[in-house]
Amino acid sequence: MTRPGLVISRISRVLSDYENLSALYALLVVGGVIIGIVTLPFIGYDDDQLYPKTLDPSSSLHPYDRGGEPFGTTDVAAQYPENSPYLGYVTAYLTPFSAFLADSTMHLGTTIVSHPGGITDEILYNTRGLDTVVETSILFVAFAIAAYLFRREE
Amino acid sequence: MIEYLIFALFIGLLFHGIHRKVIARVQGRPGPPIWQEILHTLKFSFKETWIPKTASQTLFVAVVLVAIGIWSAALFILLSGGSILLLFGIYLLHKIVEHGLGLSSGSPYGKFGAIRSVISAASELPLFATVGLIYFFTHSLMLSDIIAYQQVHGPLLIAAFPAAIAMYLVILSKLHYSPFAIIEAKEIVSGNMTEHFGIWRAGLEVGYAIKTYVLLYAFVLIFIGQLPLLAALLLMLLILVSLSFICAVSPMLSPYDTVTVQSLVTGAIAVYIIVLGVILA
Amino acid sequence: MSMAMSPEFLLGCAVLLIGITGTAFPRPRSYVSRLISLEIPAFGLLLIMLSFDETLALLTFIAVTAIATFVLVRVIERRGSV
Amino acid sequence: MDQVYVLGLLVVFAGVLIGFYALMRERDDLHRILLTDLAEILALALIALVATDLAEALILPGLVVGISELLAVSEVYLAKEDLRTPPTAPPFRIEVMESAPGIMALILVAYGIILSGFTGGAVAAVGAIFYFLCRGQNEQFAIIETVSGYAWVFWIGAFFIFMLLPAYWFFAVMIAGGAILVKVMAKMSLIGTMRGGEHV
Amino acid sequence: MFNLPVTNIGGSELFVLEFGDIVNYFSVYTAALFAFALIFTALAIVSRPEKMVDIAFGGDAYYTKEIDPGLLRFQRFMAIACGLATLGAVVSGDVFNFTLFVSMVGITNIGIVAAYKNKHVLNAAFQYGIVAMLATVPLFGGAAIVLATTGTLSLWELYTAAVAVPLIAKIFLVLGVMGEGMAPFYIAKAEITRAQGAPFILMVHVSSLLVFLRVVEIVISM
Amino acid sequence: MNDLLAILYGAVALIGAVSAVVQTDSLNKLISIAIIAGGVIPFLVDRGYLDVAIAVGLIIPVTTIIILLVCMRDAV
């Protein structure tokens, strides 16, 4: 069938097939990225970052040693420190087990800081806790979908 | 406020009637009297009303109320000089009303209407080009600021001409009998409104009438500026008649072609904005 | 923060690019081969994270990659290889 | 840092170009899933380039979102292709699958519990999946799901302690770290039981 | 303490909700979107789905489809989750938090449609899912570029004139939301719309339109 | 790490990566992946992250075994 406006109907035909959807989206992203590469010279890293990493290789908490004293004040470069009155408490805190590990070896910094406490938990649970709420909800929803589809077959 | 709402409703319905009349005359038919749509709405208000058994009852009624609600809110934004982003947001949310109308009834024709309404959702895209371009000139999206800007710099119609075209296209796609009005094409009966009759249909007519008034008035305010009411009405009528001419002489596009046309217009204006930005920056 | 470009970062970038090319155009073009190729850019990202000392993220990433591999294996198993 | 960032950005952009170009050419749905997994790596690389503690904290949610979507989409794929029956090909066995799982799973799970939080949950889940994979599974689906549901509620509670009663931050950290560990580990190790079939 | 730096786009500030570093806000604009999302979430909770009428060709016979209660419960759960995610996304005051809410919208949308057994609808849902997953690259990438180049994620800071957000970050954010919400890619959505369950299907459209409206506000204000 | 070792391990990782792309047989690809791991883990150790190196060293074989499941099925 020949229709007027050949180009338009040809585009319409591609658009109307949802098998082409991801290809179409990929095309858009590729277009965006090309703009990105062209404008790359105008992009610069801002050195005044939130929660910057300050490394102290001699610490047993390396690379997560942020100083501070447990149950005292610790300097944390949060966006709105006034919204988190106990800011820094989580960062400086070590569980007894972590404290033991920290005293006995130099090479378990990651493990120690991941054990409840540390700067990452400070961010994830305290200052940006809402992110974590959303994120666990996403996992919850995704699993509900998978479980529903999986169990329906039984 | 309430009296203005009724006034807008009356004018909107009258515009619908004039629209039909102009189309009929262009096509060499006598056409209905211009107050036909007002009579229609009155007639529907007093007819027997019930909800189809197959419908999702709550939704079936709620969308009608939402339709009236959002367009009354839109009128309020226009009068109070609020944000045109919100105004266009409401325009987008109107889409939800269209979907809801068609989907809630359970009727296959309503459903087809709703599906077409989903397909034609690209008709919103030109709006964002409009918003972007206007912001580019005025650095504000508050209607009051835009009006103030035009008093100093002259109508935006000249400065931001592509944006005016985009918005013109948007109004065109929402008008009855337009080449983009695929959701109420006659082959699917009345499209997504098929199952809404009686008082529900009257409610929809009310919402749509306010919508037509709001869109035309917004066009005048955004691109020409604040005018005395009578002049503004006259201008709106002129725009409407020009739209009616287009509706009368152009065939309805196939559903996917409407998407393509509208997307292409948006893309062209987006490129225009970027080029303008690069040149002026 | 490491101001200069660390060898880990440069190596990571190289492995990432090689891996992406390998995954985008796998040899042979089969599900399994593409699945295995996916591991290469993962190592590239691992090195990039290492160069910024983001070890907690690194550890999580490696663990989640293992789980993702399992999810994909489950699909490929049922699909049968092509 | 500026140079590092711009170079990194260039590499990732180039990667996006290659990866998405391949995706444009791809017609097979399962290959598309594999390529979206590649895209996930690129998204994480963009976050990693920020190189602060905040970046690290953002990678973790990014990772979880990625694996969640992969899980849901792959299940939709199986439903749409109607690949319901578990694989029936002869089982594959190597010696290591008899001896390793017990001890390796134990190490990973124990280490995961020490780590706690997301990282711990993911590491422990790998251990659990590996165990289910090699030793077969007893279907405790409903119980594990319930546990993970409660863990989620505990975490929401911890969030509100942080926001409303910050003085009790210590309990909040403990509850949050523990609850997320349990939640992530439970959810993800359930994937191990979803393989189906009696051949393992 | 908090003063919305830009009031000439979304109207004046009404109410602020603080969660640590994430400070959500209700301006006239976001509050309107919030109210709209709330109405449709409530509708998804209270209304029952329609009974779709199928006409048997070649006769006057027609029959209505009944909906399976398990499917109904699941879809309602997904629709409510989708509504909550939309509520979060439209008032979020933080770029990364916004992107997380948007990806939750994406995944709940997949959930709403993936529940059908119709192969046609499932196929559309799958293609949609692929795009939603791809969209995490521009979505999170956009947020990451914003963070790296400006040193902040808070919209309160980003809206100030002193902070310049690179063009690519804005493009990425819009592309990301387009992918998750499928805003202009209506083809798969049209197929999805053919399925039964109006109040829930409608939620797919409501959420994607609202997050798209929100991202437009964010991108223009930045 | 001194420069020589860094170059050496870097070369190992790069060779592994290139070989994993070039190899056409699944098992050979898996072996190449193991070579990349061999080149990468020293960098982890060198920076002093013993715990991370151990965990990564444990998880990578698990991934390999998971992939082997489909590879062997193909071979059978």
Side-chain angles (χ1 to χ4, degrees):
Chain A
M1 187 175 85
T2 52
R3 281 192 286 174
L6 194 59
V7 182
I8 287 177
S9 25
R10 202 186 301 162
I11 298 173
S12 307
R13 216 169 302 140
V14 175
L15 286 178
S16 63
D17 182 2
Y18 58 71
E19 288 283 336
N20 293 329
L21 197 64
S22 51
L24 189 68
Y25 188 71
L27 180 70
L28 273 181
V29 174
V30 165
V33 166
I34 289 173
I35 296 179
I37 292 177
V38 171
T39 56
L40 204 57
F42 308 107
I43 294 180
Y45 186 83
D46 188 283
D47 284 313
D48 184 24
Q49 289 282 344
L50 298 173
Y51 309 98
K53 265 192 193 317
T54 41
L55 295 183
D56 172 16
S58 64
S59 158
S60 59
L61 295 186
H62 176 68
Y64 292 100
D65 193 0
R66 299 291 174 270
E69 51 192 283
F71 302 102
T73 47
T74 307
D75 234 7
V76 176
Q79 181 84 58
Y80 301 115
E82 63 273 22
N83 284 355
S84 312
Y86 286 82
L87 185 69
Y89 279 53
V90 181
T91 308
Y93 173 76
L94 289 183
T95 60
F97 180 68
S98 309
F100 164 72
L101 285 181
D103 289 339
S104 44
T105 168
M106 285 287 286
H107 299 294
L108 298 179
T110 312
T111 304
I112 297 165
V113 165
S114 180
H115 199 62
I119 179 72
T120 317
D121 281 358
E122 177 89 59
I123 303 170
L124 280 174
Y125 303 155
N126 188 357
T127 53
R128 297 184 63 87
L130 193 59
D131 278 355
T132 317
V133 171
V134 184
E135 179 263 288
T136 46
S137 310
I138 292 174
L139 187 62
F140 189 76
V141 166
F143 209 84
I145 297 169
Y148 178 81
L149 292 177
F150 175 69
R151 267 195 258 168
R152 192 166 63 181
E153 70 188 85
E154 289 171 358
Chain B
M1 178 63 203
I2 190 80
E3 62 274 12
Y4 195 92
L5 197 66
I6 292 167
F7 170 74
L9 164 65
F10 180 76
I11 297 288
L13 286 171
L14 197 63
F15 276 0
H16 282 177
I18 295 171
H19 180 56
R20 284 183 72 173
K21 189 79 176 174
V22 172
I23 290 179
R25 283 298 160 88
V26 171
Q27 294 170 341
R29 300 183 279 120
I34 57 172
W35 49 81
Q36 180 66 32
E37 295 291 325
I38 301 173
L39 296 179
H40 255 325
T41 307
L42 285 175
K43 175 191 79 179
F44 276 124
S45 310
F46 299 113
K47 288 188 93 170
E48 190 189 2
T49 297
W50 41 278
I51 302 172
K53 208 175 172 186
T54 53
S56 168
Q57 321 241 334
T58 323
L59 192 64
F60 188 86
V61 178
V63 279
V64 178
L65 301 179
V66 169
I68 301 174
I70 55 173
W71 287 109
S72 309
L75 189 66
F76 177 74
I77 295 168
L78 270 192
L79 298 182
S80 62
S83 163
I84 59 166
L85 193 59
L86 188 53
L87 187 70
F88 288 167
I90 285 174
Y91 178 83
L92 246 78
L93 298 177
H94 177 70
K95 203 87 220 171
I96 303 294
V97 172
E98 287 180 357
H99 301 336
L101 282 177
L103 288 174
S104 62
S105 64
S107 145
Y109 297 107
K111 186 131 237 166
F112 285 136
I115 292 169
R116 287 193 172 189
S117 136
V118 174
I119 293 171
S120 72
S123 60
E124 276 90 37
L125 286 178
L127 267 184
F128 290 103
T130 314
V131 172
L133 199 56
I134 290 172
Y135 185 74
F136 190 87
F137 284 105
T138 60
H139 298 288
S140 170
L141 288 178
M142 304 308 279
L143 202 50
S144 45
D145 293 344
I146 294 173
I147 292 168
Y149 174 91
Q150 295 186 102
Q151 274 163 359
V152 180
H153 298 89
L156 272 171
L157 183 65
I158 298 156
F161 186 63
I165 294 179
M167 187 163 173
Y168 191 77
L169 198 68
V170 164
I171 301 176
L172 178 64
S173 36
K174 276 287 169 281
L175 227 46
H176 294 294
Y177 319 107
S178 94
F180 299 106
I182 52 170
I183 57 170
E184 44 199 34
K186 283 301 161 204
E187 73 266 21
I188 50 173
V189 196
S190 293
N192 50 10
M193 293 189 295
T194 307
E195 306 300 330
H196 281 76
F197 39 79
I199 189 82
W200 314 128
R201 185 59 159 269
L204 282 180
E205 295 291 342
V206 167
Y208 284 11
I210 303 174
K211 179 193 74 179
T212 304
Y213 183 87
V214 166
L215 285 179
L216 289 170
Y217 192 40
F219 187 90
V220 171
L221 280 183
I222 293 171
F223 291 107
I224 294 159
Q226 188 83 59
L227 296 174
L229 186 61
L230 216 56
L233 283 178
L234 196 67
L235 216 54
M236 286 157 67
L237 187 63
L238 276 176
I239 298 166
L240 182 81
V241 170
S242 74
L243 287 165
S244 308
F245 264 95
I246 297 176
C247 293
V249 297
S250 59
M252 189 169 290
L253 293 169
S254 87
Y256 287 110
D257 284 352
T258 63
V259 181
T260 311
V261 170
Q262 287 158 339
S263 310
L264 286 178
V265 171
T266 315
I269 296 171
V271 169
Y272 176 78
I273 295 175
I274 290 175
V275 169
L276 206 64
V278 169
I279 291 171
L280 294 186
Chain C
M1 192 182 299
S2 53
M3 296 305 273
M5 283 191 209
S6 54
E8 287 93 343
F9 180 75
L10 291 174
L11 183 63
C13 287
V15 174
L16 187 70
L17 274 184
I18 295 174
I20 287 168
T21 318
T23 315
F25 309 102
R27 278 166 39 110
R29 212 179 148 283
S30 69
Y31 299 135
V32 178
S33 133
R34 200 165 234 167
L35 178 68
I36 299 173
S37 307
L38 268 175
E39 299 289 309
I40 313 171
F43 276 107
L45 178 54
L46 188 155
L47 281 167
I48 291 178
M49 285 176 176
L50 177 67
S51 74
F52 298 127
D53 294 283
E54 295 165 343
T55 48
L56 214 56
L58 186 159
L59 202 55
T60 323
F61 171 65
I62 289 298
V64 169
T65 304
I67 299 170
T69 309
F70 181 81
V71 172
L72 292 171
V73 161
R74 189 170 152 265
V75 179
I76 294 176
E77 255 185 348
R78 296 195 176 201
R79 177 73 172 78
S81 52
V82 172
Chain D
M1 192 56 217
D2 208 45
Q3 277 182 343
V4 176
Y5 184 69
V6 171
L7 175 68
L9 219 49
L10 186 65
V11 167
V12 175
F13 281 168
V16 173
L17 274 186
I18 300 170
F20 278 66
Y21 175 72
L23 206 118
M24 271 163 63
R25 307 286 303 271
E26 192 56 69
R27 308 297 306 172
D28 184 276
D29 285 338
L30 186 43
H31 274 303
R32 280 178 178 162
I33 298 184
L34 291 167
L35 280 173
T36 53
D37 200 38
L38 176 70
E40 217 62 59
I41 293 176
L42 291 165
L44 293 172
L46 276 175
I47 307 179
L49 285 174
V50 180
T52 58
D53 283 329
L54 181 55
E56 192 158 1
L58 299 184
I59 289 174
L60 301 183
L63 268 171
V64 177
V65 171
I67 184 83
S68 305
E69 291 188 335
L70 184 66
L71 184 62
V73 169
S74 67
E75 204 57 47
V76 173
Y77 178 78
L78 290 179
K80 122 184 147 77
E81 298 287 318
D82 216 12
L83 300 170
R84 291 307 189 180
T85 42
T88 48
F92 145 72
R93 299 237 67 99
I94 50 176
E95 196 279 330
V96 68
M97 289 177 72
E98 303 295 334
S99 52
I103 183 75
M104 268 175 85
L106 190 70
I107 295 175
L108 286 174
V109 171
Y111 184 56
I113 290 172
I114 293 175
L115 287 172
S116 82
F118 294 100
T119 317
V123 170
V126 173
I129 285 182
F130 188 54
Y131 188 81
F132 285 134
L133 183 74
C134 299
R135 286 287 165 81
Q137 64 271 10
N138 353 20
E139 297 278 340
Q140 299 289 337
F141 216 92
I143 295 177
I144 305 180
E145 251 195 298
T146 315
V147 169
S148 117
Y150 279 112
W152 185 63
V153 172
F154 269 106
W155 156 234
I156 302 284
F159 172 71
F160 280 108
I161 293 178
F162 264 127
M163 291 305 140
L164 302 177
L165 304 166
Y168 298 96
W169 60 271
F170 176 73
F171 298 102
V173 176
M174 290 302 148
I175 295 172
I180 290 186
L181 165 83
V182 172
K183 158 144 190 89
V184 173
M185 178 185 165
K187 284 279 182 241
M188 293 194 172
S189 56
L190 273 180
I191 302 168
T193 70
M194 280 168 64
R195 187 148 164 262
E198 300 304 318
H199 63 291
V200 277
Chain E
M1 174 175 64
F2 289 100
N3 281 312
L4 199 60
V6 183
T7 53
N8 61 0
I9 288 172
S12 52
E13 167 192 328
L14 304 175
F15 179 60
V16 173
L17 202 58
E18 296 163 6
F19 294 109
D21 273 6
I22 297 166
V23 180
N24 293 348
Y25 67 90
F26 291 77
S27 65
V28 174
Y29 185 69
T30 62
L33 299 187
F34 188 86
F36 199 79
L38 206 58
I39 291 173
F40 276 88
T41 313
L43 278 178
I45 295 174
V46 298
S47 44
R48 289 189 54 78
E50 85 285 9
K51 301 189 186 74
M52 220 155 99
V53 179
D54 270 5
I55 295 160
F57 283 100
D60 307 344
Y62 67 90
Y63 55 92
T64 57
K65 281 184 189 161
E66 285 298 332
I67 218 161
D68 158 36
L71 177 77
L72 176 67
R73 208 167 49 237
F74 177 75
Q75 278 194 314
R76 183 164 286 160
F77 165 70
M78 280 296 154
I80 295 169
C82 183
L84 293 177
T86 313
L87 289 178
V90 293
V91 297
S92 187
D94 182 277
V95 178
F96 193 77
N97 194 245
F98 170 74
T99 60
L100 276 179
F101 271 119
V102 169
S103 33
M104 185 165 165
V105 166
I107 204 161
T108 48
N109 282 356
I110 301 171
I112 291 172
V113 286
Y116 296 104
K117 282 184 173 160
N118 179 327
K119 190 174 156 90
H120 199 59
V121 175
L122 268 177
N123 202 4
F126 173 78
Q127 302 297 342
Y128 179 8
I130 290 284
V131 173
M133 279 179 75
L134 291 178
T136 53
V137 179
L139 197 62
F140 292 149
I145 294 174
V146 167
L147 176 60
T149 51
T150 65
T152 181
L153 282 171
S154 167
L155 290 178
W156 298 83
E157 309 290 323
L158 292 168
Y159 282 0
T160 52
V163 178
V165 178
L167 177 67
I168 181 66
K170 295 182 179 183
I171 292 178
F172 265 19
L173 278 177
V174 173
L175 278 178
V177 173
M178 276 162 77
E180 292 286 351
M182 310 292 295
F185 301 108
Y186 290 99
I187 311 309
K189 269 188 151 179
E191 300 307 319
I192 288 162
T193 315
R194 292 182 207 279
Q196 195 176 8
F200 316 122
I201 294 290
L202 205 55
M203 205 61 221
V204 175
H205 303 300
V206 172
S207 58
S208 63
L209 279 183
L210 288 178
V211 292
F212 194 69
L213 282 173
R214 183 70 215 283
V215 82
V216 168
E217 187 235 11
I218 289 177
V219 165
I220 293 183
S221 304
M222 277 197 311
Chain F
M1 198 184 301
N2 63 41
D3 288 350
L4 182 67
L5 276 178
I7 291 171
L8 222 59
Y9 285 126
V12 171
L14 275 181
I15 291 169
V18 172
S19 130
V21 171
V22 176
Q23 294 286 350
T24 50
D25 181 70
S26 300
L27 289 180
N28 288 347
K29 266 184 191 288
L30 275 178
I31 292 168
S32 310
I33 298 286
I35 295 175
I36 308 180
V40 166
I41 289 181
F43 283 100
L44 277 169
V45 177
D46 171 61
R47 287 210 167 206
Y49 306 126
L50 271 184
D51 48 350
V52 180
I54 293 170
V56 170
L58 273 175
I59 293 173
I60 287 172
V62 171
T63 317
T64 311
I65 291 179
I66 292 173
I67 296 179
L68 266 178
L69 283 177
V70 271
C71 291
M72 298 311 279
R73 196 178 297 278
D74 278 4
V76 172

